[in-house]
Amino acid sequence: MPEFRFDPVELPPTAPALRERVRQFLALERSRHTFDPIRNSWTSFNAEFSRRCGEEGLIGLVFPREYGGQGMSNLERYVVMEELIAGGAPVGAHWIADRQSGMQILRHGTEHARRLIIPRIVTGQCYFAIGMSEPDSGSDLAAVRTRAVRVDGGWRITGTKVWTSNAHRAHYLIALVRTAPKTEARHEGMTQFIVDMSQPGVTTRPIYNLYGGHDFNEVVFDDHFVPDEMVLGQPGEGWQLVTGELAYERSAPDRFMSVYAVLLETMRKLGPQPDAHAASEMGRFVAHLAALRFMSNSIAGKLQRGEQPIVEAALVKDIGTTFEREIPEVARKLIPSESTMGKGNSFDDMLGGAVLRAPAATIRGGTREILRGMIARGLGLR
């Protein structure tokens, strides 16, 4: 039977200095009151803060220097991502572009697309959305119905994407689109396109969350033109490209540290002498967090070696978002509180936001059903 491998990796010698550099940056920003570490996580959108991250050199660390990056390793980037999330930094504006879209363009884009977009990502002033899920197909990417037809100089796209986070704020979106008729080979005939959200033929409609927040969107393409230089890879290679991209999306520390602040605050409230049950629950969370960090680090090492740990990344995402969902549920049973959605910094506000946002974490990047199907196939069980 096939098996997963999460080989241990050793962080580079530069890791301690990188951690200290990020911590000093966040301390300075907190002293300037530019963000509130209690209320923010990697999904919080703050354009000015992303611009400051760009100035500080905290975006595009693995991008080549010729495009404005720093040519660092994936493990060095992992350290910076982990510190930003642990510090409650509002990095949502540039996160998708830095985590996966920029890498996708560097690996599969044209030189025109690289020169046009990558330097802007590095400055923290170019944001991306993800165009994968569609109505009635959810996370089953092989079921996409959005189509593109060949025209002179490019392609014209018609169809709809849904659950598209921050599409109303993004400059670009990478869309997975069917460019050949669907056959029994469901994974063939698809292509990825870089969509300029400012061009005609793209309409973004809000999908409001249970608490009234606007994060998700429906994106409608109506005969939208994409020039040839904004195609990723070769036509028909979309499935291979999108599965490689998902390895970045599903394995990063944001998949298990979104409610890290809630875990810390719960521990503070429990104090140094929690009862046996509370101590057991907190110990279990710490052990799970350590295991997830080990697995995520291992995948960063695989990505650095040019591997595509697609199934391992699906496992991290499934376990990680389950972990994230459990933290606020346990916390509200251990700490007498009434969850609220106020704008203050109270524990009740933190808990209220975490409880309501947790279900979305299990949807972004693939539902549990899709991920567990992938894991089963990876183990040879399907």
Side-chain angles (χ1 to χ4, degrees), residues 232-250:
L232 292 176
Q234 296 298 315
E237 292 182 344
W239 184 258
Q240 291 84 356
L241 267 59
V242 78
T243 51
E245 179 183 353
L246 284 169
Y248 286 93
E249 181 179 353
R250 290 171 173 164

Side-chain angles (χ1 to χ4, degrees), residues 104 129-134 137-148 157-162 173-179 186-195 221 232 234-246:
Q104 200 73 344
I130 300 170
M132 297 185 191
S133 298
E134 297 195 359
S137 63
S139 296
D140 182 9
L141 295 182
V144 300
R145 292 180 294 185
T146 297
R147 303 184 63 83
I157 301 177
T158 301
T160 303
K161 296 292 180 182
V162 74
L173 173 150
I174 294 182
L176 180 68
V177 174
R178 190 162 289 285
T179 49
R186 301 175 73 233
H187 298 160
E188 296 181 357
M190 290 182 276
T191 304
Q192 279 195 316
F193 295 90
I194 306 170
V195 173
F221 303 104
L232 292 176
Q234 296 298 315
E237 292 182 344
W239 184 258
Q240 291 84 356
L241 267 59
V242 78
T243 51
E245 179 183 353
L246 284 169

Side-chain angles (χ1 to χ4, degrees), residues 249-269:
E249 181 179 353
R250 290 171 173 164
S251 66
D254 44 314
R255 290 307 180 191
F256 51 88
M257 292 181 66
S258 297
V259 293
Y260 182 70
V262 176
L263 179 59
L264 286 185
E265 193 60 21
T266 301
M267 290 180 177
R268 290 191 185 102
K269 285 191 169 294

Side-chain angles (χ1 to χ4, degrees), residues 210 254-260 262 284-285 292 317-333 351 353-364 367-369 372:
L210 285 172
D254 44 314
R255 290 307 180 191
F256 51 88
M257 292 181 66
S258 297
V259 293
Y260 182 70
V262 176
R284 184 167 62 84
F285 282 140
L292 283 162
K317 203 271 181 181
D318 184 36
I319 297 175
T321 51
T322 300
F323 172 75
E324 287 187 323
R325 194 166 185 168
E326 193 178 12
I327 288 173
E329 291 297 330
V330 171
R332 70 188 181 87
K333 294 174 182 174
L351 206 53
V355 168
L356 286 175
R357 293 186 182 104
T362 62
I363 297 174
R364 291 187 174 100
T367 62
R368 288 175 173 175
E369 291 75 15
R372 293 178 183 182

Side-chain angles (χ1 to χ4, degrees), residues 294-337:
F294 178 89
M295 296 163 72
S296 184
N297 254 307
S298 177
I299 291 177
K302 290 176 183 286
L303 293 171
Q304 182 62 30
R305 296 192 295 272
E307 300 175 26
Q308 289 203 346
I310 296 167
V311 179
E312 288 88 346
L315 186 61
V316 169
K317 203 271 181 181
D318 184 36
I319 297 175
T321 51
T322 300
F323 172 75
E324 287 187 323
R325 194 166 185 168
E326 193 178 12
I327 288 173
E329 291 297 330
V330 171
R332 70 188 181 87
K333 294 174 182 174
L334 295 177
I335 309 292
S337 60

Side-chain angles (χ1 to χ4, degrees), residues 35-293:
F35 77 102
D36 184 342
I38 297 295
R39 296 187 56 77
N40 288 303
S41 75
W42 68 272
T43 60
S44 296
F45 195 101
N46 184 325
E48 179 57 24
F49 191 86
S50 286
R51 189 187 65 77
R52 288 282 302 116
C53 286
E55 289 179 347
E56 192 64 24
L58 299 179
I59 304 174
L61 273 75
V62 298
F63 296 172
R65 293 184 182 278
E66 64 182 297
Y67 301 108
Q70 300 181 48
M72 291 187 180
S73 69
N74 277 297
L75 290 169
E76 288 170 306
R77 181 174 73 156
Y78 180 92
V79 169
V80 171
M81 293 171 76
E82 188 176 64
E83 287 296 327
L84 288 170
I85 299 171
V91 291
H94 70 265
W95 196 257
I96 302 300
D98 188 32
R99 183 184 66 186
Q100 64 191 82
S101 305
M103 291 302 300
Q104 200 73 344
I105 293 168
L106 282 166
R107 294 177 66 186
H108 307 291
T110 64
E111 189 60 22
H112 169 81
R114 294 181 191 132
R115 298 285 176 191
L116 175 68
I117 297 172
I118 299 299
R120 293 166 58 201
I121 292 177
V122 173
T123 64
Q125 299 180 77
C126 181
Y127 322 134
F128 268 74
I130 300 170
M132 297 185 191
S133 298
E134 297 195 359
D136 304 320
S137 63
S139 296
D140 182 9
L141 295 182
V144 300
R145 292 180 294 185
T146 297
R147 303 184 63 83
V149 295
R150 198 80 172 89
V151 297
D152 186 27
W155 300 75
R156 288 202 174 273
I157 301 177
T158 301
T160 303
K161 296 292 180 182
V162 74
W163 307 119
T164 312
S165 300
N166 286 325
H168 58 304
R169 296 157 160 163
H171 300 100
Y172 295 97
L173 173 150
I174 294 182
L176 180 68
V177 174
R178 190 162 289 285
T179 49
K182 188 176 180 180
T183 66
E184 291 185 356
R186 301 175 73 233
H187 298 160
E188 296 181 357
M190 290 182 276
T191 304
Q192 279 195 316
F193 295 90
I194 306 170
V195 173
D196 184 340
M197 300 293 283
S198 69
Q199 294 302 303
V202 184
T203 303
T204 301
R205 299 168 179 159
I207 299 174
Y208 292 102
N209 297 328
L210 285 172
Y211 56 92
H214 180 194
D215 179 13
F216 293 126
N217 297 273
E218 180 183 68
V219 179
V220 180
F221 303 104
D222 182 10
D223 203 31
H224 173 71
F225 177 73
V226 178
D228 284 330
E229 56 264 32
M230 300 298 260
V231 176
L232 292 176
Q234 296 298 315
E237 292 182 344
W239 184 258
Q240 291 84 356
L241 267 59
V242 78
T243 51
E245 179 183 353
L246 284 169
Y248 286 93
E249 181 179 353
R250 290 171 173 164
S251 66
D254 44 314
R255 290 307 180 191
F256 51 88
M257 292 181 66
S258 297
V259 293
Y260 182 70
V262 176
L263 179 59
L264 286 185
E265 193 60 21
T266 301
M267 290 180 177
R268 290 191 185 102
K269 285 191 169 294
L270 289 171
Q273 299 294 332
D275 63 33
H277 175 63
S280 173
E281 292 286 45
M282 292 301 103
R284 184 167 62 84
F285 282 140
V286 170
H288 287 187
L289 179 59
L292 283 162
R293 284 188 73 203

